[in-house]
Amino acid sequence: MGGHSFPSAAGTEKESNLQRLLNSLTPNVPLKPIPEVEQNCIQSLNSEWNTSEKPITECFMLRDLWKCFEEWSAYGRGTKVILPDGETVLQYFTPYVSAVQISIKKRIQKVDSVANGSCNGTKSLGAENKCTELLRSSSNTSGNSKFWNSSSGSNSSTNPERKEVCLFKQHFEFHDDQNPYTRLPFFDKIQNLAKNNPGLMTLRSTDLLPSSWMAVAWYPIYHIPAAKGVVKDLTAAFITFHTLSSFNQDTGVDPAGENSGIGGSKAVILKKGTKMGHRKMPLQPFGLAALYLTGDVWFISGQSDEEKYIDLYNAARSWLKKHHFYHHDFNFFANNSCVRAEKN
């Protein structure tokens, strides 16, 4: 690797700064075909949860998603910003794990334990144990992180003191409330969490319930070239919210087009320079929150950026409320934001 991570230049001229930002902060995750032996099970779950009638034939590994953040965590992620005076800069952000909530279905079928393509098939005790081991916690405590074991799958993260939860059965959750500049970058933090939670590296998007999601905090680090007089406008920090399950759940945001990056559809793309079949999917944000969003840099007069931001903000707020999740970063952003979303 090495060097800085530059955003794609394709289609950026007609986009606003906010649209370019959301596109730049969208990870493109490699897809893998679902084994034929699991198709019946997957389609049964798809018909139960998915809002789309399109069959699910591909999925992604969580470890491949985390890999998307490796270079960004080391060097920053850049996005092109056109300033009010016409000058162009590249603004860089470091990603941090803000929150993660992962749940797996109790009888999820793993490829090495499926006897047939039916969701009603039974497992051996060993296979069941392997499934529950994926998200099992240890009693070890490090730093401000805490682990709990429980036989219950209930969500009790309304307690702000619970920074890290890993239930014995099928649930894992984490939120960070440390000063952002004392946190480990995203990829390093995931590696740290995975030491006690191997499921973070072995689970697939089809293993996860529709309620599984993550929030990424993006804090500014520098811009190139150094611009005078707009430093305050370029201090904005952001939180993007992304679903993790293949079984899409209604997030309250209407799709805004395949390439818009503003709550857009999950279109499959091909990575340039690779063989056909190396497919990737943009995991576009369904929610957004911002801090220190001042000036005319991110909301350009005559465009609908502010309205789009409010829609994404309210979608994130509704999601957290629906899942009874205490999210320290979101609450801090909301209480200190200059942009007030509509109360609906």
Side-chain angles (χ1 to χ4, degrees), residues 238-252:
F238 299 89
I239 305 172
T240 55
F241 292 76
H242 310 259
T243 57
L244 297 176
S245 174
S246 293
F247 309 105
N248 298 331
Q249 190 176 71
D250 182 17
T251 58

Side-chain angles (χ1 to χ4, degrees), residues 144 146 148 150 154-167 171 173-177 325-326:
N144 291 325
K146 297 179 181 179
W148 285 264
S150 171
S154 62
N155 179 357
S156 57
S157 56
T158 52
N159 183 351
E161 294 302 317
R162 298 184 63 191
K163 302 179 181 66
E164 189 170 322
V165 182
C166 191
L167 302 182
H171 187 75
E173 64 184 54
F174 167 85
H175 80 268
D176 206 334
D177 62 1
F325 192 89
Y326 175 86

Side-chain angles (χ1 to χ4, degrees), residues 19 52 84 115 123 133 156 163-164 190 194 245 258 267 272 289 303 323:
Q19 290 172 325
S52 171
K123 292 183 181 180
E133 283 285 351
S156 57
K163 302 179 181 66
E164 189 170 322
I190 288 292
S245 174
E258 180 175 337
K272 294 181 179 180
Q303 297 198 27
H323 295 283

Side-chain angles (χ1 to χ4, degrees), residues 18-317:
L18 184 65
Q19 290 172 325
R20 277 190 293 271
L21 172 76
L22 267 293
N23 287 335
S24 296
L25 305 188
T26 295
N28 291 310
V29 194
L31 293 173
K32 299 179 182 296
I34 296 173
E36 185 176 352
V37 70
E38 298 182 61
Q39 284 295 327
N40 290 341
C41 180
I42 296 299
Q43 299 317 322
S44 175
L45 296 175
N46 184 29
S47 62
E48 178 183 353
W49 289 327
N50 201 353
T51 57
S52 171
E53 296 180 357
K54 186 177 180 180
I56 297 176
T57 60
E58 297 172 301
C59 64
F60 62 85
M61 301 292 297
L62 286 184
R63 63 171 175 263
D64 291 334
L65 171 59
W66 314 140
K67 189 75 172 178
C68 295
F69 290 86
E70 183 176 15
E71 185 174 345
W72 300 351
S73 297
Y75 303 107
R77 176 56 169 165
T79 184
K80 177 181 176 181
V81 178
I82 300 177
L83 303 178
D85 62 2
E87 183 181 358
T88 298
V89 299
L90 287 176
Q91 175 70 40
Y92 284 86
F93 300 86
T94 296
Y96 299 92
V97 180
S98 181
V100 180
Q101 194 171 35
I102 294 175
S103 298
I104 62 175
K105 191 170 177 62
K106 184 176 182 180
R107 293 182 300 162
I108 197 72
Q109 300 272 347
K110 303 300 291 183
V111 66
D112 57 355
S113 63
V114 175
N116 54 56
S118 171
C119 284
N120 297 320
T122 59
K123 292 183 181 180
S124 66
L125 180 61
E128 180 68 26
N129 286 342
K130 182 176 181 180
C131 237
T132 57
E133 283 285 351
L134 291 173
L135 291 177
R136 178 175 295 178
S137 72
S138 76
S139 59
N140 179 47
T141 300
S142 59
N144 291 325
S145 297
K146 297 179 181 179
F147 290 86
W148 285 264
N149 280 328
S150 171
S151 59
S152 170
S154 62
N155 179 357
S156 57
S157 56
T158 52
N159 183 351
E161 294 302 317
R162 298 184 63 191
K163 302 179 181 66
E164 189 170 322
V165 182
C166 191
L167 302 182
F168 180 82
K169 290 292 185 179
Q170 289 83 27
H171 187 75
F172 167 82
E173 64 184 54
F174 167 85
H175 80 268
D176 206 334
D177 62 1
Q178 298 182 29
N179 184 304
Y181 295 105
T182 65
R183 300 179 188 180
L184 290 174
F186 186 100
F187 186 76
D188 304 272
K189 184 62 178 180
I190 288 292
Q191 296 290 312
N192 183 275
L193 292 173
K195 292 178 182 178
N196 294 303
N197 303 279
L200 290 174
M201 294 298 175
T202 59
L203 289 170
R204 305 167 304 176
S205 58
T206 48
D207 295 334
L208 310 183
L209 292 175
S211 56
S212 301
W213 61 282
M214 71 172 181
V216 184
W218 305 85
Y219 281 85
I221 46 179
Y222 56 84
H223 51 271
I224 303 174
K228 297 181 180 180
V230 294
V231 175
K232 185 177 180 180
D233 295 345
L234 295 175
T235 58
F238 299 89
I239 305 172
T240 55
F241 292 76
H242 310 259
T243 57
L244 297 176
S245 174
S246 293
F247 309 105
N248 298 331
Q249 190 176 71
D250 182 17
T251 58
V253 178
D254 294 329
E258 180 175 337
N259 298 314
S260 68
I262 306 292
S265 61
K266 294 187 175 181
V268 173
I269 63 174
L270 294 177
K271 184 179 179 182
K272 294 181 179 180
T274 61
K275 296 179 180 179
M276 293 296 292
H278 289 196
R279 297 154 66 84
K280 291 191 174 186
M281 180 179 70
L283 209 63
Q284 296 172 333
F286 72 83
L288 178 68
L291 183 67
Y292 308 134
L293 200 62
T294 60
D296 299 324
V297 171
W298 301 107
F299 295 152
I300 299 177
S301 177
Q303 297 198 27
S304 57
D305 287 340
E306 186 168 1
E307 181 179 348
K308 291 176 182 177
Y309 171 77
I310 290 174
D311 287 344
L312 287 167
Y313 175 90
N314 285 329
R317 182 167 58 88

